[in-house]
Amino acid sequence: MVRQSQAAKLSGGRRDPLRRRNQLVAWGFLSPWALGFVLFVLGPMVLSLVVSFTDYPILRPAQTRFVGLENYETAWNDDLLRHSLAVTLLYTAIAVPADLVVGLVLALIMNVRARGVAVFRTVFFLPIMISGTGGASVAVALLWAFVFQPRFGLLNAVLRFVNLPPQLWVASTKQVVPSLALMSLWSVGRSMLVYLAGLQALPGEVMLAAQVDGASSWRRFWQITLPLLTPMVLFNLILGLIGALQTFTQAYVITQGGPRDASLFYLIYLYRNAFTYLDMGYASAMAWILFALTLALTLLIFRTARKWVFYAAEPPER
Amino acid sequence: MGSSRSSALDALGQQIEAGVISRRQFVVRALALGLSATAAGTLLAACGGGSSNSGGGSSGKALTGTVQILVGYFGTGNQPAQAQVQEALATAYTQLHPGVKIEFLRIPSSSDAKTKLVALSAAGAPPDLVMPTGIYGTSLFLDEEIWLNLEDLLKRDGLTLDPYSPVTAVATHQPNYYGTSATGVVGLPVGVNDHALAYNPALFAQAGLPMPPTSWTDASWSYEGAFLTAAKALTLDGRGRHPGDAGFEPATVKQFGLGHFFRETLFFAFGGKYYDPGTKKATMASPGGIAGLQFASDLVNVHYVQPSRTVAASLGAGGGQGDEEQFLWKNGQLAMIDMGTSDISSYGKGAPFDFALAPMPAGPARRFSFLNLDVGCVVKASKNTDLAWEVLKYFSLEPDAAKRLAYDSYNEIPALKQNTDVFTSGVRSSLPKADPKVWIDGFEFAGADNEAWFPAFAEVNTLVGKAFDTIVDGRPAASVMPQLQATAQTEIDKWFGSHKLPS
């Protein structure tokens, strides 16, 4: 309260014409985005929430009827939905930690002061430029379909080269999810870049002091570098989690949910309900269930983050 | 001046007689040549214009406007060479009807085309025509009333489906939806991807087997008889032993008797049926259906004459997208395959041997092959249905255009009876050992049973696909099929709870 009145005093009060003009200018600059957000994000979200309580046959909209929580009840009893959720969570459990670890390792390697390292940083980041949201565009997915090809694919060529048996990869019900998780490393450059920024912002004097005190490289990494990087880990974790839960393109292009529904990701099943069965009400309910799940997991991570994320200004909670 | 006008009028007369210009265009052009309206009308009557079957504007209205055609929806047509033919036909039509513009909305994958069709329709801006559309594609949205029933337009223009091969006409009626009186018409037939059994004659000769027959009525060519015997004799493991031989090793099979063969074919040939419209019941678990699926499973898991999905993936080159077996066929590792006419460009050409054709073997209940008919459909919500209808008639009924579209563009047997020769002569010139007559004769045994609409079509087909997968993976058909029938019935009952059949 005191702060607010001080701020008001400093700015000359609400009627300050300069302040008003600044606000108008700010809103002027913001309005294209704000308008776009309302029209293309918030509006459809609200609409989909409404639709989730209806039976909405999209091609016969006149026959739309309110069904209350029926779609959510159906979802609760839908075995295939549970299966698709399990597939998605399995993928998330593999892909997100892999991205965190590989991204960090790459960032540590790319953080060395060596000639030509900028070229490698660029090379590792380049795949991001042709990846869509969620880490895969159609072009990338098609490329990986050939990488996974059992007879002539690149991965099996490597395995044969080192005398290991070739695998079925995405053609196997057991290997398809790990294979797609492996593919997700295509966009590891994104997390690498975030870590790299964190590494370059580390306080040099702290590292130097530890070195002078005789701390080994491993100890310096484990007790100084990693704790100081935890905000970046949190950032990558949240982004990775949200992206993994929304996995669609790679499975849609490469496997269409197969073989035998082994890669039936949540969004593939949602899409199938929306555009194959034209059950938009149920698909909308599924979208809101995913939103709730994503929100819950994100809040959970934020809550636990107090225990493991270290911000330089304050020590981690004990 | 007088003679040039006379020759121009002669040319107009010929055009209206040939049905390449509409009555309206005739009158407009005749007036432009300085004829009075009465004289133009008299000349028109003398030329007999107006009875055109071929998109000549038989409704008598001026043909102006734009027709948008969605290509890629559960059919074919987006390869560059295919598109070129379609564009040429569109140009030809525009030359005949300068007021008409034809646009193609090309979507490369059928699932994306489906999404596009739904989204555009929901947004109130649907395409006017969707073609080619397989019967399966028409079935997906038939109960969503997305397609215009062409029955009234056919009647209005005094047309029938008689010019088409009868089996194609039957498939357009969708009797489970429109009713068994066979009056509804979901689309005009264009081409047929008819199926037959292709085989590698060299492998038959090496195995000392007689070549399969070419007649569809040869009773000796049956699944459980000569076909299975041949498939076993044509299957070889790493040491050259056949299934049934002592020491045969299924894991080392290097040559299979059969591949690229569909379990649905066996399901129907053994007497299976998805749905009974009379009782409104799912009927997958009939004894014939169970026997057919079990036979399909046994070919893979008991007789080892057909590669499993995973074996095909590991041996093939398709990347898990279903075309693995094309590699095996061309590599001489498959002796027999199911080959539709639209497979000619993929499986048929580029193989280092000349394949030959046999009919599909007879099952205990019937002889069956996929019809795979492609039709052109008018979208009901189109704001331009009359014009779309005129364009569709041109593409489907005008003999030259229909021939080029069906054969040159879609690589199919033209549905117009008078056009089947183009397919016969085309195959004879390009595939020396494949007798096109086998494909043509197969019409009589072909059906759209696997594609014809029934309630909850998309949902039940998903269930059917999964259940069939499970059986071919090794689970007994006798336990899977009753379960499938029960779940399918639930979906069908649900459909009747929210939909009605057209009266």
Side-chain angles (χ1 to χ4, degrees):
Chain A
M1 198 64 184
V2 175
R3 277 186 190 170
Q4 273 180 4
S5 61
Q6 279 174 343
K9 222 181 252 178
L10 281 171
S11 65
R14 281 183 182 176
R15 289 181 186 172
D16 180 0
L18 182 65
R19 181 184 158 87
R20 283 193 60 172
R21 205 182 71 180
N22 283 346
Q23 280 181 339
L24 277 175
V25 170
W27 275 110
F29 280 111
L30 276 174
S31 57
W33 177 86
L35 197 66
F37 177 76
V38 170
L39 286 178
F40 301 117
V41 180
L42 191 61
M45 279 180 74
V46 172
L47 185 66
S48 84
L49 183 63
V50 173
V51 167
S52 76
F53 297 111
T54 67
D55 172 16
Y56 172 44
I58 187 170
L59 296 176
R60 295 173 286 117
Q63 293 171 32
T64 302
R65 61 191 178 95
F66 180 75
V67 295
L69 291 172
E70 195 180 297
N71 288 322
Y72 292 91
E73 284 170 27
T74 307
W76 184 255
N77 297 311
D78 187 344
D79 291 341
L80 211 50
L81 185 145
R82 273 198 288 277
H83 168 74
S84 69
L85 199 54
V87 167
T88 308
L89 290 176
L90 173 65
Y91 172 84
T92 306
I94 302 172
V96 175
D99 180 74
L100 292 177
V101 173
V102 176
L104 180 58
V105 171
L106 280 177
L108 289 169
I109 295 169
M110 294 298 142
N111 195 38
V112 296
R113 291 181 193 279
R115 203 177 158 86
V117 75
V119 175
F120 284 98
R121 286 176 191 164
T122 310
V123 167
F124 276 105
F125 191 72
L126 267 181
I128 305 292
M129 307 305 288
I130 52 170
S131 295
T133 48
S137 62
V138 171
V140 171
L142 286 172
L143 174 80
W144 275 86
F146 286 103
V147 171
F148 287 131
Q149 204 286 320
R151 191 181 174 96
F152 297 118
L154 184 66
L155 283 174
N156 276 352
V158 172
L159 289 182
R160 282 192 200 97
F161 185 73
V162 294
N163 284 324
L164 287 172
Q167 302 297 314
L168 284 172
W169 304 108
V170 291
S172 155
T173 50
K174 288 180 183 158
Q175 293 172 3
V176 63
V177 171
S179 299
L180 292 175
L182 176 68
M183 178 188 162
S184 73
L185 290 178
W186 173 261
S187 55
V188 74
R190 179 185 52 79
S191 49
M192 179 200 79
L193 199 71
V194 174
Y195 285 129
L196 200 54
L199 283 170
Q200 300 203 337
L202 288 183
E205 64 275 18
V206 179
M207 302 299 284
L208 192 62
Q211 206 170 356
V212 169
D213 287 349
S216 66
S217 306
W218 176 249
R219 198 168 170 148
R220 286 204 304 275
F221 168 74
W222 198 245
Q223 297 204 318
I224 300 173
T225 308
L226 194 57
L228 288 173
L229 281 180
T230 48
M232 286 79 197
V233 175
L234 175 66
F235 178 78
N236 281 332
L237 175 63
I238 299 290
L239 282 193
L241 177 80
I242 294 170
L245 290 174
Q246 294 179 14
T247 299
F248 177 77
T249 310
Q250 51 271 60
Y252 180 72
V253 173
I254 300 177
T255 65
Q256 294 266 313
R260 313 287 191 256
D261 279 346
S263 65
L264 185 72
F265 283 84
Y266 192 89
L267 282 196
I268 296 275
Y269 186 49
L270 187 156
Y271 178 86
R272 193 184 281 176
N273 275 292
F275 291 102
T276 299
Y277 308 147
L278 301 186
D279 197 346
M280 290 293 167
Y282 188 50
S284 297
M286 282 186 68
W288 278 95
I289 291 167
L290 181 65
F291 176 75
L293 177 75
T294 310
L295 187 66
L297 287 175
T298 309
L299 289 176
L300 185 71
I301 290 169
F302 271 120
R303 195 160 182 81
T304 61
R306 290 175 197 166
K307 294 186 188 300
W308 59 269
V309 177
F310 174 72
Y311 292 100
E314 51 188 272
E317 261 183 35
R318 297 280 172 201
Chain B
M1 181 71 186
S3 69
S4 67
R5 191 176 79 165
S6 166
S7 59
L9 281 171
D10 284 348
L12 271 182
Q14 284 165 5
Q15 285 178 331
I16 189 82
E17 276 176 0
V20 295
I21 61 171
S22 66
R23 290 183 301 174
R24 168 88 182 188
Q25 283 175 313
F26 177 87
V27 173
V28 169
R29 290 182 195 180
L31 291 174
L33 288 168
L35 239 61
S36 70
T38 315
T42 309
L43 191 56
L44 176 66
C47 292
S51 60
S52 167
N53 235 3
S54 58
S58 50
S59 63
K61 291 178 185 170
L63 294 182
T64 54
T66 301
V67 170
Q68 190 184 54
I69 304 175
L70 176 69
V71 183
Y73 175 81
F74 288 93
T76 178
N78 273 328
Q79 296 296 322
Q82 296 183 311
Q84 204 177 356
V85 175
Q86 295 157 33
E87 301 284 352
L89 289 173
T91 306
Y93 189 83
T94 302
Q95 280 168 356
L96 296 175
H97 304 280
V100 178
K101 188 180 169 199
I102 297 174
E103 290 175 354
F104 292 95
L105 177 60
R106 299 190 179 279
I107 312 293
S109 91
S110 62
S111 55
D112 289 344
K114 183 178 66 180
T115 308
K116 190 85 175 174
L117 178 63
V118 171
L120 288 174
S121 300
D128 305 296
L129 278 174
V130 181
M131 64 187 298
T133 310
I135 292 297
Y136 185 92
T138 67
S139 296
L140 272 181
F141 295 139
L142 192 60
D143 51 6
E144 297 294 332
E145 294 167 18
I146 204 164
W147 315 118
L148 185 69
N149 181 353
L150 303 178
E151 182 189 356
D152 290 341
L153 290 169
L154 282 163
K155 273 187 195 155
R156 186 194 75 185
D157 290 359
L159 299 171
T160 67
L161 297 178
D162 291 346
Y164 301 105
S165 299
V167 67
T168 67
V170 168
T172 65
H173 289 312
Q174 290 278 23
N176 290 344
Y177 185 71
Y178 290 126
T180 46
S181 55
T183 50
V185 178
V186 73
L188 289 187
V190 179
V192 176
N193 171 24
D194 193 27
H195 290 239
L197 193 79
Y199 63 92
N200 184 332
L203 297 182
F204 269 74
Q206 277 168 24
L209 289 166
M211 299 298 155
T214 53
S215 165
W216 285 77
T217 54
D218 188 328
S220 69
W221 187 236
S222 66
Y223 282 114
E224 294 168 301
F227 169 79
L228 183 58
T229 306
K232 285 179 180 172
L234 289 159
T235 301
L236 299 169
D237 72 2
R239 294 186 186 175
R241 289 171 299 204
H242 306 284
D245 289 353
F248 173 76
E249 292 172 348
T252 66
V253 172
K254 60 173 187 177
Q255 177 185 306
F256 290 91
L258 180 69
H260 187 58
F261 197 83
F262 305 99
R263 63 263 172 119
E264 289 84 354
T265 306
L266 296 163
F267 174 77
F268 294 115
F270 278 65
K273 203 176 162 191
Y274 288 156
Y275 173 72
D276 176 27
T279 58
K280 297 180 180 172
K281 296 288 180 196
T283 54
M284 294 92 177
S286 66
I290 291 173
L293 258 296
Q294 192 55 56
F295 186 75
S297 170
D298 290 350
L299 289 175
V300 176
N301 305 305
V302 175
H303 305 305
Y304 305 111
V305 297
Q306 183 176 355
S308 67
R309 184 187 58 80
T310 49
V311 168
S314 62
L315 294 174
Q321 300 279 20
D323 48 356
E324 290 83 4
E325 293 180 350
Q326 193 184 132
F327 175 83
L328 297 178
W329 164 250
K330 288 184 176 174
N331 208 29
Q333 289 176 277
L334 295 180
M336 297 184 280
I337 61 167
D338 178 325
M339 190 184 279
T341 52
S342 61
D343 289 330
I344 292 174
S345 58
S346 51
Y347 281 80
K349 289 180 179 158
F353 57 89
D354 291 325
F355 70 88
L357 280 179
M360 285 295 178
R366 63 195 276 212
R367 209 183 278 268
F368 175 81
S369 69
F370 295 133
L371 178 69
N372 288 162
L373 168 68
D374 272 331
V375 298
C377 297
V378 177
V379 177
K380 193 175 180 180
S382 157
K383 295 174 176 69
N384 229 349
T385 49
D386 277 344
L387 187 58
W389 168 241
E390 294 301 330
V391 172
L392 176 58
K393 281 194 294 179
Y394 173 75
F395 280 132
S396 173
L397 271 165
E398 201 286 312
D400 282 338
K403 185 191 293 180
R404 291 202 62 200
L405 190 65
Y407 186 67
D408 296 343
S409 182
Y410 301 164
N411 306 311
E412 293 175 331
I413 304 174
L416 271 186
K417 281 185 277 191
Q418 70 181 93
N419 279 348
T420 48
D421 285 354
V422 67
F423 173 79
T424 309
S425 56
V427 170
R428 287 217 167 102
S429 65
S430 60
L431 302 168
K433 284 198 177 169
D435 181 358
K437 197 169 173 296
V438 177
W439 269 312
I440 305 279
D441 290 350
F443 269 30
E444 202 181 317
F445 302 89
D449 305 45
N450 56 321
E451 300 185 275
W453 181 89
F454 53 81
F457 184 79
E459 290 87 345
V460 172
N461 262 293
T462 305
L463 295 172
V464 166
K466 277 188 208 166
F468 285 14
D469 283 347
T470 315
I471 293 167
V472 175
D473 280 352
R475 275 193 65 197
S479 71
V480 176
M481 295 299 276
Q483 215 176 333
L484 165 66
Q485 185 168 297
T487 47
Q489 190 60 51
T490 306
E491 293 293 339
I492 289 169
D493 292 342
K494 209 162 89 182
W495 187 91
F496 277 110
S498 58
H499 294 73
K500 277 183 184 168
L501 290 169
S503 50

